[in-house]
């Protein structure tokens, strides 16, 4: 059986998770329009896909979100693009497909968010 996890370790882990959520809010200037559940999958998914050199289509971006109608999901993409976090670009040979890519602004914000929260998690795991 695995080693028992102490209450102190669980408290440290819970605090790291809470810190992650708070850092997310602060990264997006505590704007109520960027709730974690609604935007995390979209923004992180677009960022990872782009870092891998395979930007995702608008349709794929809509599919990775966990809630909302297609219209709601497309509105989230539009909001993120209007706020300077994502761009939509034409792709493919015929130019009909559109891909969603992170802007340098989003990359900078998310890199900072990931670095800060990774440090918090590492500290929690070291306890």
């Amino acid at each position: 059986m695995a080693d028992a996890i102490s209450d102190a370790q669980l408290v440290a882990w819970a605090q790291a998770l809470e810190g992650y959520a708070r850092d997310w809010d602060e990264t997006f200037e505590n704007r109520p329009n960027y709730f974690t559940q609604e935007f995390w999958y979209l923004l992180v998914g677009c960022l990872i896909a782009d870092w891998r050199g395979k930007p995702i289509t608008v349709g794929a971006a809509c599919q990775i979100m966990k809630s909302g109608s297609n219209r709601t999901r497309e509105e989230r993409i539009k909001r993120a693009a209007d706020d300077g976090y994502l761009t939509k670009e034409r792709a493919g040979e015929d130019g009909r497909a559109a891909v969603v890519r992170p802007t340098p602004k989003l990359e900078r914000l998310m890199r900072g968010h990931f670095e800060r929260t990774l440090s918090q998690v590492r500290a929690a795991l070291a306890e």
Side-chain angles (χ1 to χ4, degrees):
M1 182 173 202
D3 292 334
I5 298 172
S6 72
D7 288 350
Q9 289 170 315
L10 289 177
V11 167
W13 178 240
Q15 288 173 328
L17 292 174
E18 181 184 16
Y20 185 94
R22 289 184 190 283
D23 191 90
W24 174 274
D25 291 341
E26 290 170 10
T27 296
F28 292 96
E29 301 171 336
N30 295 310
R31 295 163 83 187
N33 294 341
Y34 284 91
F35 291 114
T36 306
Q37 180 65 21
E38 293 177 358
F39 281 90
W40 192 90
Y41 294 103
L42 170 64
L43 299 179
V44 173
C46 290
L47 187 64
I48 289 171
D50 195 66
W51 282 350
R52 290 180 172 161
K54 297 179 181 181
I56 60 175
T57 64
V58 170
C62 286
Q63 288 178 359
I64 63 174
M65 288 183 254
K66 302 296 181 193
S67 66
S69 66
N70 274 348
R71 182 176 178 182
T72 297
R73 294 170 191 214
E74 288 175 6
E75 287 173 1
R76 288 181 193 143
I77 293 170
K78 183 180 181 327
R79 181 183 311 146
D82 289 347
D83 289 343
Y85 300 126
L86 298 174
T87 62
K88 288 194 314 188
E89 303 171 8
R90 292 287 169 202
E93 292 180 18
D94 62 7
R96 287 189 287 176
V99 295
V100 182
R101 302 185 84 155
T103 62
K105 174 183 177 179
L106 179 64
E107 284 194 62
R108 180 180 44 80
L109 290 172
M110 292 303 290
R111 183 171 291 279
H113 171 63
F114 291 147
E115 289 172 355
R116 288 185 302 274
T117 57
L118 179 57
S119 294
Q120 290 175 349
V121 169
R122 284 179 174 162
L125 293 174
E127 289 191 20

